[in-house]
Amino acid sequence: MPTSSRFAVATHALVVIASDPSRAHRSEDLAAGARTSPTVIRRLLSSLAKAKITGSKLGVGGGAVLAREAEAITLADVYDAVEEGTLFAMPRCAPDEGCVIGANIGPLVRDVTGRAEAALRAELSATTIADLLAAMPRSARVAQTVTA
C-alpha cells in the first residue's frame, strides 16, 4: 500500500510559516527546507488554501501566509486538507463467502481499523500547529544532545 508524505510536508511548511507570521513565505524557501520541489509545496498550499488554512500575499515579498491563527489549526485540519481517502483500505473484491474466514473477516477488520482511525483523529485534533511550534526549541535541544 503506497504511503504519502503530503501531511508531513504540509505540517513542516505550516510550522515554518507560523514561526514568522509577520511575513509571507515563498514556496521555493519552504521547498528548500523540506527538501522537496516548489511545485509540491504549491500543490499543498493550494489544498491548504481551499481548506482556509493558508492564504497568499501577492506581489513583491509575496508568498504563503496563515489564514487563521496557528492555535486554531489542528493537525486533523491539515490531514483532511492534504490527504485523500481513508487510512486503511479494504480489498476491492469481497472475499469468497464460502470461506469461513472470508465470510467474517471484513466486519472484524473494519472494527479494528475504525478504532485505530478514531484514535489517530483524536490525537491529530488535540494538536495544533502552535503546539508543534512551541515544542520546537525542546526538540532542537534534544536533537543537539543526540548528535553532540
Side-chain angles (χ1 to χ4, degrees):
M1 170 168 48
T3 59
S4 163
S5 62
R6 289 186 295 264
F7 170 72
V9 174
T11 300
H12 178 144
L14 289 169
V15 172
V16 170
I17 296 167
S19 72
D20 188 0
S22 67
R23 69 178 186 91
H25 297 262
R26 297 177 338 127
S27 58
E28 293 82 4
D29 298 332
L30 295 169
R35 291 201 178 196
T36 191
S37 76
T39 301
V40 167
I41 295 295
R42 284 191 285 274
R43 282 189 197 127
L44 291 172
L45 290 172
S46 175
S47 295
L48 293 166
K50 286 178 188 167
K52 298 182 178 18
I53 295 171
T54 61
S56 58
K57 179 182 170 194
L58 302 176
V60 177
V65 296
L66 295 181
R68 53 189 196 222
E69 298 295 320
E71 294 83 1
I73 303 170
T74 70
L75 296 188
D77 296 333
V78 178
Y79 187 88
D80 291 341
V82 301
E83 293 294 348
E84 299 171 1
T86 61
L87 189 58
F88 298 100
M90 299 307 285
R92 292 180 188 175
C93 297
D96 179 0
E97 290 294 321
C99 170
V100 175
I101 302 298
N104 294 286
I105 195 70
L108 298 173
V109 171
R110 278 191 291 279
D111 183 51
V112 171
T113 59
R115 289 193 315 267
E117 285 189 35
L120 173 64
R121 177 153 298 284
E123 186 64 30
L124 294 178
S125 294
T127 307
T128 68
I129 293 298
D131 293 333
L132 295 182
L133 184 59
M136 197 56 62
R138 179 176 178 266
S139 298
R141 284 195 304 272
V142 170
Q144 286 177 346
T145 304
V146 171
T147 59

